[in-house]
Amino acid sequence: MDRTLQGVGVSHGVAVGEVRHMGTAVLEPPAKQITEEDAPREQQRSRQAVEAVANDLMARGNLAGGEAQAVLEAQAMMAQDPELVADVERRIAVGSSAERAVYDAFAAYRALLANAGEYLAGRVADLDDVRNRIVARLLGVPMPGVPDSDHPYVLVARDLAPADTALLDPALVLGFVTEEGGPTSHSAILARALGVPAVVALPGACAVAEGTVVAVDGSTGEITVAPSEAEQAALARLAAERKAALDSSKGPGATSDGHKVPLLANVGGPADVAAALEAGAEGVGLFRTEFLFLDDSAKAPSQEKQVSAYRQVLEAFPEGRVVVRVLDAGADKPLDFLTPGEEPNPALGVRGLRTLLDHPEVLRDQLGALAKAADGLPVYLEVMAPMVADRTDAKAFADACRAAGLRAKFGAMVEIPSAALRARSVLQEVEFLSLGTNDLAQYTFAADRQLGAVSRLQDPWQPALLDLVALAAEAAEAEGKSCGVCGEAAADPLLACVLTGLGVTSLSMGAASIPYVRATLAKHTLAQCERAASAARAADSAGDAQVAARAVLSGE
């Protein structure tokens, strides 16, 4: 095996430690037949196991809070999917044991998604994890998971399910490496939230033997197997230099020549506010409101509940900017009372603003709750719609905001290429744009954002994606309006400089990334950022774009 392995770095930091492997998957249960008389008992067993697993996932989400809570609540909903539950009970009725019925029903659903090429195919790791948890409970065996250890270690796995990633103890798990996943996978997002160095999409990672010392660089994606003392010392110096740079960088985001670039935080609810404040966030650039709606997929939360949650976040940033994204339901975030039961391709169907326009009462209640939550506060409230395709969408959203009596700026997320291409048209109806680079890449390259096999096309350094960012930023400048980035691209310090050079006016990211971005921006002038952006756009691949930008910014 090569001593140096290259994956995709998704969470900054350096970790050196012994490898510990994730527990093996649950074994396939035997194909045991049951009698007709036993079927009701087995069906009851399956229902109890499903309910127990769903409750455990919800409990883990409550413990983790923030973004992890929304992810785990969505996974709990997956466990209780009515079609899957019905299929399990049908299989039991014709003679399968509860555990075998669960295994086969999930296998059929898994194959269906993979063969159909649907958006949810990218969530196979989540689906497998739910299946394993239910089968393990039915078999009465422990669920394989994060290894027990008294000493810190580097966790290596084929992939990590959200339920495992969300509750990792940073005091024990120095970093993690996975064979699958991509920069926008759940594991990557949660790793950044935890501040744990992480590398994903590294083929052959599981071949590294248990107990082997490895060095993980979450910034470069490089893994060094059995590093020498000299190599470990060099990495320690690098980590110390990075920490010193972070500690010396304080205050608002800006380039070295004083060009201001507000650095904002992505939050999933009130639980994320403390980390954002500690990181020095200048406000919130993406307040995901889905966490409230995932508590009960059968109905919308009351307006009173919404007001309370929104106000907690707004109060944390007096006289700061808070950008709220209204409910983004559909595709991988289905809600029983909103989203269609069956669509051939949910990612290209009724999701985001389309869902809300089909259910205007839900949008009206949410906008009304935001108006009440902001009443009397000095906060600068901005509200944006997800999945805006054109001016017609933008106008419909702005009209709804005005009808709700909302005193705020109205904006549109640019996640669909058409919105970037026609950004000046969209800006006739709204006051700002916010680029969701994760979905924008997905729709630009027809590449599922959760599927490791197409992670190359999900790379935010892709020149075609940078072209779309530039189009949106140029349109906003021409209209005298703002254009921020709230996708995961903003969390890459080098790419943050390029985005600034493209004309982006603010950057929003997970709180853990803010110090890194602030420190890197402070080293470079706006002119350098602009030259780096031009060099990146002139490249023909994501890798070449990154190399070209780095060369400009390092003065090579």
Side-chain angles (χ1 to χ4, degrees):
M1 172 178 286
D2 293 338
R3 290 192 60 250
T4 302
L5 307 174
Q6 187 65 52
V8 178
V10 295
S11 184
H12 302 295
V14 174
V16 178
E18 292 186 359
V19 165
R20 293 287 181 272
H21 287 284
M22 196 75 172
T24 56
V26 174
L27 295 176
E28 179 178 347
K32 184 175 71 174
Q33 290 295 110
I34 62 169
T35 64
E36 185 177 345
E37 291 76 20
D38 287 337
R41 176 177 59 82
E42 290 294 285
Q43 289 173 337
Q44 179 65 15
R45 285 182 65 224
S46 73
R47 286 193 291 269
Q48 290 174 341
V50 165
E51 191 65 24
V53 167
N55 289 339
D56 178 62
L57 290 168
M58 293 288 286
R60 286 169 177 260
N62 290 332
L63 283 174
E67 290 184 88
Q69 184 170 6
V71 170
L72 292 176
E73 287 175 348
Q75 201 178 10
M77 289 167 56
M78 183 183 289
Q80 297 171 305
D81 181 272
E83 292 186 15
L84 269 173
V85 170
D87 190 21
V88 169
E89 298 203 355
R90 181 188 63 78
R91 291 172 185 273
I92 292 173
V94 295
S96 286
S97 65
E99 48 266 39
R100 187 69 208 190
V102 168
Y103 187 89
D104 289 341
F106 273 78
Y109 189 43
R110 189 184 200 275
L112 175 67
L113 294 177
N115 292 335
E118 295 184 7
Y119 180 82
L120 290 178
R123 295 297 168 85
V124 164
D126 294 8
L127 187 70
D128 288 348
D129 182 60
V130 171
R131 177 204 65 202
N132 289 346
R133 290 177 187 278
I134 297 172
V135 170
R137 185 169 288 272
L138 287 166
L139 291 174
V141 299
M143 174 65 197
V146 178
D148 290 329
S149 177
D150 295 329
H151 304 288
Y153 59 90
V154 173
L155 181 62
V156 175
R158 184 183 63 82
D159 203 353
L160 285 172
D164 295 314
T165 313
L167 296 181
L168 290 178
D169 182 355
L172 281 177
V173 181
L174 301 171
F176 69 74
V177 182
T178 64
E179 289 196 354
E180 299 185 1
T184 60
S185 66
H186 280 154
S187 293
I189 292 170
L190 296 179
R192 286 190 284 271
L194 288 166
V196 176
V199 173
V200 301
L202 178 62
C206 291
V208 179
E210 182 97 3
T212 302
V213 174
V214 296
V216 179
D217 191 328
S219 299
T220 65
E222 189 171 275
I223 307 296
T224 304
V225 179
S228 65
E229 290 186 7
E231 288 172 324
Q232 291 189 44
L235 284 168
R237 286 194 299 272
L238 177 61
E241 290 169 4
R242 290 176 181 171
K243 185 177 185 305
L246 295 181
D247 292 342
S248 65
S249 178
K250 303 291 183 183
T255 58
S256 61
D257 55 343
H259 175 72
K260 293 183 178 179
V261 187
L263 302 181
L264 312 171
N266 294 344
V267 304
D272 291 341
V273 166
L277 292 172
E278 184 178 352
E282 298 168 59
V284 172
L286 173 61
F287 179 7
R288 302 181 179 93
T289 57
E290 289 76 42
F291 77 102
L292 278 169
F293 292 79
L294 291 171
D295 282 345
D296 183 352
S297 68
K299 65 180 186 299
S302 68
Q303 194 173 77
E304 291 73 21
K305 183 177 181 180
Q306 292 188 58
V307 170
S308 174
Y310 301 152
R311 195 170 180 91
Q312 288 181 62
V313 176
L314 297 178
E315 287 177 335
F317 295 93
E319 301 184 10
R321 178 186 178 198
V322 175
V323 184
V324 179
R325 181 180 71 190
V326 294
L327 176 63
D328 184 13
D332 62 326
K333 297 185 285 280
L335 294 172
D336 293 344
F337 72 99
L338 277 184
T339 47
E342 293 184 7
E343 286 184 316
N345 192 331
L348 301 180
V350 181
R351 63 166 293 197
L353 180 61
R354 299 168 187 175
T355 302
L356 293 174
L357 294 179
D358 280 353
H359 298 270
E361 73 285 354
V362 176
L363 178 58
R364 183 180 61 247
D365 284 352
Q366 184 171 26
L367 294 174
L370 285 165
K372 290 181 180 179
D375 187 38
L377 297 179
V379 66
Y380 296 100
L381 176 62
E382 301 184 11
V383 182
M384 62 185 181
M387 299 297 292
V388 170
D390 55 16
R391 182 173 180 174
T392 300
D393 279 350
K395 183 179 187 304
F397 178 65
D399 287 346
C401 289
R402 283 188 283 267
L406 190 62
R407 294 182 179 179
K409 285 187 175 182
F410 317 142
M413 290 198 71
V414 178
E415 301 164 287
I416 302 173
S418 62
L421 293 167
R422 301 286 294 172
R424 289 197 72 169
S425 174
V426 171
L427 284 165
Q428 303 311 303
E429 305 294 343
V430 294
E431 298 171 86
F432 69 93
L433 300 177
S434 183
L435 289 138
T437 52
N438 304 348
D439 270 322
L440 185 58
Q442 171 172 253
Y443 292 119
T444 299
F445 297 103
D448 190 327
R449 57 185 285 190
Q450 294 296 325
L451 195 59
V454 293
S455 61
R456 175 184 73 83
L457 296 170
Q458 266 293 327
D459 192 324
W461 281 95
Q462 285 284 357
L465 187 66
L466 300 181
D467 288 343
L468 291 174
V469 173
L471 281 174
E474 289 164 4
E477 183 180 21
E479 295 294 328
K481 296 178 179 179
S482 63
C483 177
V485 168
C486 64
E488 292 300 316
D492 179 335
L494 185 64
L495 186 50
C497 294
V498 169
L499 295 172
T500 298
L502 292 174
V504 166
T505 56
S506 66
L507 299 167
S508 189
M509 65 209 76
S513 298
I514 290 176
Y516 292 91
V517 172
R518 183 192 292 119
T520 305
L521 274 176
K523 295 178 182 177
H524 306 291
T525 65
L526 176 59
Q528 287 177 309
C529 292
E530 290 172 341
R531 289 197 297 274
S534 296
R537 289 183 68 187
D540 291 322
S541 70
D544 289 347
Q546 189 170 8
V547 169
R550 191 182 302 277
V552 171
L553 293 174
S554 63
E556 295 177 7

